Amino acid sequence: VGNTTVDDLFLATNGTGPINGAEWIVGNETYYYREQSYEANFDSTLSYRLSIGLAGLCWIFLTIPTMLWLKDRPGPALPKGDNYFSASISNIWGAVKEVRKYPNAFRMALAFFIYSDSYSSIATIAVLFASDEFNSSAIILGLLLVLAPLMAGVGVFVFGKIQVRWNISAKKMIYFHLINFIVLCVYVCLGFIEGSPIGLKSEVELIILATFYGLHLGPIQTFSRSLYSILVPKGKETLFFSIYEISDKGSSWMGPLVIGALNQAFGSMRYGIIYIFGMILVSMPFLYFVDEYQGQIDAGDIDPPDEDSY
């Protein structure tokens, strides 16, 4: 498929998921507050448990058509003396070595490994800010849970239209969203200034920043997959996207660990935003050296230029 088709597919799938998730949360929260008004001893965690339970039911039911209609593609038999664990480790190492043969795909995976941890950690800080710094009520926490996925879905469609309208590359769109995350970090750091009335000093700011964050969260996930997909050689999609998913989930432990340590050391979640700011900056040089055109040539997606044309 062409690059435009790939972008459209990622925009459609990444846009509908967050919106559907937000609808579920809204429905459960509405039920919670309605029942709470009638029952004094109503379970305050029921809406959250309902959300988790319904998500599990959704996975179960959506797995059924996948099992019934997805074509079976058995892989090669296990080598003698191997088990699934050792074979998995061997395959992962082999996949890493294979990706390194394609420098642009490797740089993109490395950049994504770094900045995906950064923007994911912003959500961690927001929730802890609400509960620890502001002692926010369940209403505010529920609102934050709704805003981020809802605005992520909106952002996917809005910035998707902007990309198509002005024919902007996925790489430039990623830079745009990373810069906006930097702006968010700088704004929160204004709170370090003694006497400053702004810089995440109130719940109103928290809600505004959650909206801003969500608008850029969905698009950066979409454009990252879109850019990486055009750098993947044909016939090796499964291998390369396994590394991509490792890059995504493999760094998810770093942010909470560092932010928790900073909170313990300095007594404020605000110091965690400095880590996020720094990691975004570290990722940018790797993204800068991703050559989309050469990467597509290396992947066999487009033909190299004819030497006679020079």
Side-chain angles (χ1 to χ4, degrees), residues 112-113 116 119 225 243-252:
F112 184 70
F113 177 84
S116 65
Y119 66 63
R225 286 181 173 85
I243 295 299
Y244 182 85
E245 291 303 321
I246 291 173
S247 298
D248 185 10
K249 303 298 186 268
S251 62
S252 60

Side-chain angles (χ1 to χ4, degrees), residues 184-251:
L184 189 152
C185 291
V186 171
Y187 182 86
V188 175
C189 286
L190 292 176
F192 284 114
I193 301 174
E194 188 174 352
S196 173
I198 60 173
L200 198 53
K201 294 295 187 71
S202 67
E203 289 182 334
V204 173
E205 287 178 287
L206 183 62
I207 293 171
I208 293 173
L209 291 179
T211 303
F212 180 84
Y213 167 73
L215 277 173
H216 296 283
L217 175 64
I220 195 171
Q221 292 174 331
T222 300
F223 293 124
S224 296
R225 286 181 173 85
S226 177
L227 175 56
Y228 187 75
S229 68
I230 65 174
L231 306 174
V232 173
K234 293 180 180 179
K236 298 183 179 180
E237 291 84 359
T238 301
L239 181 70
F240 273 64
F241 270 97
S242 66
I243 295 299
Y244 182 85
E245 291 303 321
I246 291 173
S247 298
D248 185 10
K249 303 298 186 268
S251 62

Side-chain angles (χ1 to χ4, degrees), residues 137-212:
S137 65
I139 296 177
I140 298 297
L141 292 174
L143 183 59
L144 292 176
L145 287 173
V146 171
L147 273 177
L150 180 61
M151 298 313 297
V154 172
V156 166
F157 290 109
V158 170
F159 289 108
K161 294 293 184 183
I162 292 173
Q163 184 205 22
V164 173
R165 174 65 179 82
W166 281 282
N167 194 27
I168 306 172
S169 69
K171 178 180 173 180
K172 289 180 180 178
M173 292 301 294
I174 295 171
Y175 262 119
F176 169 76
H177 294 297
L178 287 177
I179 290 170
N180 277 278
F181 284 135
I182 288 175
V183 170
L184 189 152
C185 291
V186 171
Y187 182 86
V188 175
C189 286
L190 292 176
F192 284 114
I193 301 174
E194 188 174 352
S196 173
I198 60 173
L200 198 53
K201 294 295 187 71
S202 67
E203 289 182 334
V204 173
E205 287 178 287
L206 183 62
I207 293 171
I208 293 173
L209 291 179
T211 303
F212 180 84

Side-chain angles (χ1 to χ4, degrees), residues 7-294:
D7 289 343
D8 291 341
L9 287 171
F10 282 125
L11 288 169
T13 54
N14 279 23
T16 54
I19 292 176
N20 291 337
E23 290 174 350
W24 282 35
I25 295 174
V26 169
N28 290 332
E29 288 293 311
T30 302
Y31 168 77
Y32 162 67
Y33 289 112
R34 178 180 176 277
E35 293 298 315
Q36 187 186 42
S37 63
Y38 294 109
E39 298 183 30
N41 298 322
F42 188 71
D43 186 356
S44 62
T45 65
L46 180 59
S47 64
Y48 303 113
R49 291 191 284 114
L50 279 173
S51 295
I52 296 171
L54 288 173
L57 288 174
C58 182
W59 283 330
I60 290 173
F61 286 117
L62 291 179
T63 300
I64 294 173
T66 302
M67 295 175 63
L68 292 176
W69 297 318
L70 190 63
K71 184 179 179 181
D72 187 22
R73 293 179 173 85
L78 283 175
K80 289 184 178 181
D82 268 0
N83 54 50
Y84 285 108
F85 178 76
S86 61
S88 298
I89 298 299
S90 177
N91 287 339
I92 291 173
W93 178 241
V96 171
K97 291 193 293 184
E98 185 66 24
V99 172
R100 290 189 65 180
K101 296 177 182 178
Y102 298 84
N104 289 289
F106 182 73
R107 292 186 197 110
M108 178 57 202
L110 191 56
F112 184 70
F113 177 84
I114 299 170
Y115 71 69
S116 65
D117 171 60
S118 303
Y119 66 63
S120 298
S121 298
I122 294 176
T124 302
I125 286 185
V127 173
L128 293 175
F129 244 101
S131 60
D132 296 345
E133 303 277 342
F134 298 141
N135 295 318
S136 298
S137 65
I139 296 177
I140 298 297
L141 292 174
L143 183 59
L144 292 176
L145 287 173
V146 171
L147 273 177
L150 180 61
M151 298 313 297
V154 172
V156 166
F157 290 109
V158 170
F159 289 108
K161 294 293 184 183
I162 292 173
Q163 184 205 22
V164 173
R165 174 65 179 82
W166 281 282
N167 194 27
I168 306 172
S169 69
K171 178 180 173 180
K172 289 180 180 178
M173 292 301 294
I174 295 171
Y175 262 119
F176 169 76
H177 294 297
L178 287 177
I179 290 170
N180 277 278
F181 284 135
I182 288 175
V183 170
L184 189 152
C185 291
V186 171
Y187 182 86
V188 175
C189 286
L190 292 176
F192 284 114
I193 301 174
E194 188 174 352
S196 173
I198 60 173
L200 198 53
K201 294 295 187 71
S202 67
E203 289 182 334
V204 173
E205 287 178 287
L206 183 62
I207 293 171
I208 293 173
L209 291 179
T211 303
F212 180 84
Y213 167 73
L215 277 173
H216 296 283
L217 175 64
I220 195 171
Q221 292 174 331
T222 300
F223 293 124
S224 296
R225 286 181 173 85
S226 177
L227 175 56
Y228 187 75
S229 68
I230 65 174
L231 306 174
V232 173
K234 293 180 180 179
K236 298 183 179 180
E237 291 84 359
T238 301
L239 181 70
F240 273 64
F241 270 97
S242 66
I243 295 299
Y244 182 85
E245 291 303 321
I246 291 173
S247 298
D248 185 10
K249 303 298 186 268
S251 62
S252 60
W253 57 272
M254 293 168 51
L257 178 64
V258 174
I259 291 169
L262 291 172
N263 183 42
Q264 288 290 324
F266 298 103
S268 173
M269 293 303 305
R270 196 179 301 273
Y271 287 90
I273 210 72
I274 299 175
Y275 163 79
I276 294 172
F277 177 79
M279 292 300 283
I280 293 174
L281 291 180
V282 168
S283 72
M284 284 185 160
F286 295 103
L287 182 61
Y288 176 80
F289 287 106
V290 174
D291 187 331
E292 297 166 275
Y293 181 69
Q294 183 60 48

